[in-house]
Each structure stands twice: as structure tokens, then as C-alpha cells.
Amino acid sequence: MEMEDKHMARRKVAAGNWKMNKTPSEAVKLCEEMKPLVESDSVDVIYCVPAIDIVPVVQAVKGTNVKVGAENMYIEDNGAFTGEISADMILDAGAEYVIIGHSERREYFSEDDDFLNKKVKKALEKGLKPILCCGESLEQREMGVTMDWIRFQIKSDLTGVTADQVKSMVIAYEPIWAIGTGKTATTEQAEEVCKGIRDCICEIYDQATAEAVRIQYGGSVNAGNAAELFAQGDIDGGLVGGASLKADFGKIVNY
Ligand code: PGA
């Protein structure tokens, strides 16, 4: 297969990361408003929502093309872990995906790569599809260690994960300096790192796994820049924060 065909073979995936926004009733209202805008036969559409919104959002998107994901989960099956939610709870609520290792979790909740590796393995063991996030700080980019850092994150977070499991995952490259700042990475910067991640997957696993895994860009994706970003050979869609809460998300899905 030609490289072009392989790129075409990967379905684009547009995922919204709602973060800590929308009460259950607001979430249902947003789903209703977005319904006609996010229809697509060719792009996978996912809403990653606060835990308390999962059940009402699953109900609200029933019969549509929208899939639902959680924004976080814990590494244990059940037990005395006050405030946490398990993979089984997320699945039983009707969600299929879970964001793991978002930079806000890494920074504000001190989640390190050893812990995130446990989360990835638990999610996969249970049949949840991880959207694994990685990304460098501005300081790291300026020091010239971006790719070293990303490779460290990918290798650590995927320790003990099989090739078949990786094929079911989504990896999101999100430079921390581009998140919520309105400062998107240039198309070249985004493609360079997404390609670097695919090369890293090829080194750890093999060519087939590298070609199957979907790699998103995230960080100030909006209706104006999505088309150019998603046209790159190694960018298979986006993880979208702010713009996923507005009609813009429909434009991003139908870029
Ligand atoms: P942003 O967030 O689109 O608001 O920059 C992206 C993210 O944090 O996933």
C-alpha cells in the first residue's frame, strides 16, 4: 500500500475534551444543539465529558454518530478510593473512551508516567479505549528536548502494552504551551512531533502498528486551523478543548 493510502485508511477522530465544564442539564442541552452540526460518516466524533455527565450525555447522543468518553479513571477495579471512578463504571455508563495523561492531570494532580502506564493498562484490560496525551512545555521546546521528552512519555506510558492494544488506542500530541492559550503549534511543528510519535511506535512495535494507531493534535484547535492540521500525513484528527463547547466543533468535525 502506498503511504497516501495508509493515511487514508486511518479514520479521522475529532474528540472534544469538555474539561470541568457543563452541569448534567447543560450537557444535555449542548448535545441537543450540536446534534445536527456534528453529523459525519467519515469522522469519529467523541465527547469526553465530566464523570457526572457521562450517563445523561450517553442518553442524549443515543442514535447519533457521537461516542462518549471519560476524562479520567482510577487504576483499581473497586474499593476504598473515595472520589474515584473505575473503568467498569465508565463502561457500564455507556462510554467507550477515556482520556489518560492530560497535561492538566499531570500538572495539577501530579500524575506521573508510572501511574499513567497503570491507567493505560487497566483501561485496555477492561476494554476502554485510551486517548493517551503527551506534550512538552515551552521550556522544553526552547531547550530543544521536545522529541526526547515525548519519546520518554510514550515509552513509559506504553510499557507492557501489546501491539494489538496500541492499535485500538488514540494518542494525542498536545504541546502544553498551546493548550487554552490560542497559540496553536504551526502545522509543521504539529506534524513533526506526530510523525515522531509514529516513528517511536514503529521502533517499539512494528510498521503495521505504527500505521494503525491514530495520532491527534491538540492545543487551540479551532474552526479556522483544523483543516490544515488534519491534512497532514501523520495527524489523524484533533483533541479539542475550548472549541468543543461551541458550534465551532461542528466545523472542526466537518473540516
Ligand atoms: P484547547 O484544549 O483546545 O482549549 O487548547 C485542548 C486540550 O486541553 O485538550
Side-chain angles (χ1 to χ4, degrees):
M1 235 199 290
E2 293 300 314
M3 204 62 206
E4 184 70 8
D5 293 337
K6 286 167 188 160
H7 178 215
M8 299 297 285
R10 287 191 299 271
R11 258 175 88 84
K12 290 276 194 272
V13 51
N17 174 9
W18 288 12
K19 309 197 178 185
M20 198 176 75
N21 293 295
K22 304 296 169 188
T23 64
S25 52
E26 288 169 348
V28 169
K29 193 163 166 276
L30 182 61
C31 290
E32 296 301 333
E33 287 164 5
M34 298 292 285
K35 208 172 270 183
L37 308 178
V38 298
E39 272 176 30
S40 171
D41 293 331
S42 52
V43 175
D44 287 341
V45 181
I46 308 166
Y47 294 166
C48 296
V49 304
I52 200 163
D53 294 343
I54 295 175
V55 169
V57 166
V58 165
Q59 276 300 318
V61 301
K62 214 171 222 152
T64 76
N65 57 313
V66 176
K67 310 274 189 231
V68 181
E71 296 178 14
N72 185 32
M73 55 163 265
Y74 194 55
I75 56 173
E76 298 293 343
D77 287 348
N78 50 52
F81 304 101
T82 304
E84 293 295 327
I85 61 167
S86 70
D88 286 332
M89 291 173 188
I90 295 167
L91 283 163
D92 190 62
E96 292 174 41
Y97 292 84
V98 59
I99 297 177
I100 293 177
H102 191 278
S103 62
E104 287 149 19
R105 299 289 324 168
R106 292 176 186 263
E107 185 180 348
Y108 306 140
F109 303 95
S110 307
E111 297 191 1
D112 63 18
D113 290 288
D114 181 45
F115 184 55
L116 295 172
N117 175 236
K118 293 193 175 89
K119 287 196 182 191
V120 170
K121 284 192 288 200
K122 180 56 73 178
L124 288 165
E125 174 200 319
K126 294 289 182 177
L128 265 178
K129 297 180 193 125
I131 300 175
L132 173 66
C133 301
C134 59
E136 82 287 3
S137 65
L138 186 58
E139 197 186 4
Q140 287 170 319
R141 176 158 285 272
E142 285 170 350
M143 277 166 56
V145 298
T146 296
M147 212 51 236
D148 301 297
W149 176 246
I150 304 285
R151 288 170 60 86
F152 169 79
Q153 290 185 315
I154 294 294
K155 287 187 175 181
S156 311
D157 301 349
L158 295 182
T159 301
V161 175
T162 68
D164 278 343
Q165 288 176 322
V166 171
K167 288 178 188 166
S168 74
M169 291 178 59
V170 175
I171 298 176
Y173 165 54
E174 298 204 305
I176 298 168
W177 47 272
I179 296 176
T181 56
K183 199 177 156 194
T184 321
T186 65
T187 311
E188 293 72 30
Q189 286 171 328
E191 168 62 13
E192 185 186 16
V193 178
C194 289
K195 182 178 184 309
I197 293 170
R198 204 175 299 287
D199 291 344
C200 183
I201 298 291
C202 187
E203 276 169 47
I204 311 172
Y205 299 95
D206 50 49
Q207 187 81 17
T209 308
E211 276 158 15
V213 67
R214 291 186 294 175
I215 304 175
Q216 299 174 308
Y217 166 77
S220 299
V221 174
N222 59 44
N225 59 26
E228 194 182 325
L229 285 161
F230 296 2
Q232 302 307 304
D234 290 289
I235 303 180
D236 306 314
L239 182 57
V240 184
S244 71
L245 300 168
K246 318 187 271 197
D248 275 34
F249 192 63
K251 297 198 184 118
I252 293 168
V253 168
N254 292 294
Y255 69 97

